[in-house]
Amino acid sequence: MSLSTLKDRVLAATSEQPAADATVRALAEDVKASTPDRLHASAQAEGDDVADKALTWLEQYGDDFTRALPSHIDVKAFLSAVRAALPGLVHCTPASLRQALLTCARFGLVPDGRHAVIKREGKTAMFVPMAQGYVELMYRSGRVGSVHVGMIHEGDEWNYEPSAPAPLDFTHRPALEKSKKDRGPVRFAYAFCWMTSGARSQVIILSRDDAEAIRDEYSQAYRRAVESGKADSFWHTDFDAMWRKSALRRLHKVVPMSAELVALLKADEAGDAGEVQIIHAPDVETTALVAEAERAHRAAEAPQDTAVRPLPVKGRGLRRSKPKRNRGGRR
């Protein structure tokens, strides 16, 4: 492979917005268009179970999911995780449901409620990555050794001194011997990473006021739910989960982020804004190129001089040389 070809591939893999493939373009247009609610109509056929009928509709796109999913996730396992959510999604337009699931698949996340969720908003299905989904992609980058996310209750023992060296700057000892009631309400959510290099990231700590400020400023889904009077956004139904997720998302400012994780952030934001998400999801080829580019980047940052240097021989090069005397014996 020529140098110019490798350079082109790296640039293509790490570009902010790769060109959309035919599937993405078609789905984006379908989602924007007024699509008949064929899924709902077929699901209501007399004598058919709603979830089974919807799953049958989805299985005709099995090849798309097979191509989109990473090799370690089986398409049958993926569709099985979808089944439980389908009764609440049959009123979504088919195109929006298909693009939400394909977006989820392309990021290699299973919509099991822990890694990701497919949520209905009106007649639109939306892919929502959860906290564990962000953690999963952090591990995949190869730069993060461990991710720690927690919540500090009023009865817990904790300390935070930003000026102290890590890991002495932050400690949290949950009062596990107490009941949940005795631990008191949650006061803070936090997140930090240990890198594979042995370094530890800055600790992100968010108070409830911080979380509410993030919600009010950035979450369009929350605002739409308030305006509609439905109060059905995740900020309404599971505030603590969104609080933890917000702390994790703030790590992108202090932790090296993979291109895939940056794309996940964009897809998450697009969904919250009610926009098409599939355009941000990498396809299989792009994911492979990104991985290759990141391996090349890590290799370039590694020490280049790997030769073992011999230790100095005892007695050589370690003594201080004696000053020479002049002919008269004086120094």
Side-chain angles (χ1 to χ4, degrees), residues 116-195:
V117 169
I118 306 300
K119 184 178 184 295
R120 180 172 73 90
E121 188 167 325
K123 288 193 173 185
T124 301
M126 181 173 64
F127 159 67
V128 183
M130 305 303 284
Q132 193 59 37
Y134 278 95
V135 171
E136 174 70 21
L137 264 64
M138 287 181 185
Y139 284 138
R140 283 188 212 163
S141 71
R143 300 177 185 178
V144 175
S146 62
V147 183
H148 300 264
V149 186
M151 306 198 83
I152 300 173
H153 290 253
E154 193 173 75
D156 293 347
E157 181 182 344
W158 67 284
N159 185 58
Y160 181 48
E161 297 181 31
S163 60
L168 302 178
D169 57 340
F170 176 76
T171 58
H172 174 217
R173 296 181 178 87
L176 299 179
E177 72 282 359
K178 297 181 180 179
S179 66
K180 185 176 181 180
K181 180 180 179 181
D182 290 340
R183 286 183 68 187
V186 176
R187 294 186 60 193
F188 301 96
Y190 65 86
F192 63 88
C193 293
W194 281 98
M195 314 306 292

Side-chain angles (χ1 to χ4, degrees), residues 71-91:
S71 58
H72 66 276
I73 298 179
D74 181 67
V75 65
K76 292 183 179 179
F78 180 86
L79 290 175
S80 294
V82 173
R83 180 187 293 272
L86 280 177
L89 298 172
V90 293
H91 292 281

Side-chain angles (χ1 to χ4, degrees), residues 90-327:
V90 293
H91 292 281
C92 297
T93 59
S96 72
L97 180 56
R98 185 181 169 212
Q99 77 92 26
L101 289 170
L102 267 180
T103 302
C104 187
R106 286 190 168 191
F107 281 111
L109 299 176
V110 177
D112 56 5
R114 293 180 62 251
H115 295 83
V117 169
I118 306 300
K119 184 178 184 295
R120 180 172 73 90
E121 188 167 325
K123 288 193 173 185
T124 301
M126 181 173 64
F127 159 67
V128 183
M130 305 303 284
Q132 193 59 37
Y134 278 95
V135 171
E136 174 70 21
L137 264 64
M138 287 181 185
Y139 284 138
R140 283 188 212 163
S141 71
R143 300 177 185 178
V144 175
S146 62
V147 183
H148 300 264
V149 186
M151 306 198 83
I152 300 173
H153 290 253
E154 193 173 75
D156 293 347
E157 181 182 344
W158 67 284
N159 185 58
Y160 181 48
E161 297 181 31
S163 60
L168 302 178
D169 57 340
F170 176 76
T171 58
H172 174 217
R173 296 181 178 87
L176 299 179
E177 72 282 359
K178 297 181 180 179
S179 66
K180 185 176 181 180
K181 180 180 179 181
D182 290 340
R183 286 183 68 187
V186 176
R187 294 186 60 193
F188 301 96
Y190 65 86
F192 63 88
C193 293
W194 281 98
M195 314 306 292
T196 52
S197 64
R200 201 214 64 199
S201 74
Q202 176 185 332
V203 179
I204 302 298
I205 299 182
L206 297 181
S207 67
R208 187 179 185 90
D209 286 345
D210 293 331
E212 290 176 348
I214 292 170
R215 175 200 66 189
D216 295 344
E217 182 174 357
Y218 297 107
S219 180
Q220 296 185 43
Y222 171 75
R223 288 197 292 272
R224 289 194 299 270
V226 170
E227 292 168 0
S228 68
K230 293 182 178 179
D232 58 353
S233 74
F234 280 123
W235 281 107
H236 286 99
T237 61
D238 200 343
F239 184 91
D240 285 359
M242 296 301 291
W243 193 352
R244 290 192 298 269
K245 178 178 167 180
S246 296
L248 268 172
R249 283 174 56 94
R250 283 288 176 94
L251 281 178
H252 82 274
K253 298 181 178 181
V254 296
V255 173
M257 303 289 276
S258 66
E260 189 180 22
L261 198 49
V262 172
L264 184 67
L265 284 164
K266 292 181 178 179
D268 196 0
E269 291 169 356
D272 189 73
E275 300 171 355
V276 177
Q277 297 171 288
I278 190 70
I279 59 175
H280 300 291
D283 57 24
V284 175
E285 182 180 357
T286 301
T287 300
L289 289 176
V290 167
E292 179 184 349
E294 289 175 347
R295 284 195 298 270
H297 177 68
R298 288 196 297 272
E301 288 185 333
Q304 300 299 307
D305 184 9
T306 57
V308 178
R309 297 180 180 178
L311 294 173
V313 178
K314 186 176 181 180
R316 294 183 183 178
L318 300 178
R319 292 181 180 176
R320 182 182 300 171
S321 59
K322 294 181 179 181
K324 294 182 180 180
R325 297 178 180 272
N326 60 21
R327 292 182 179 179

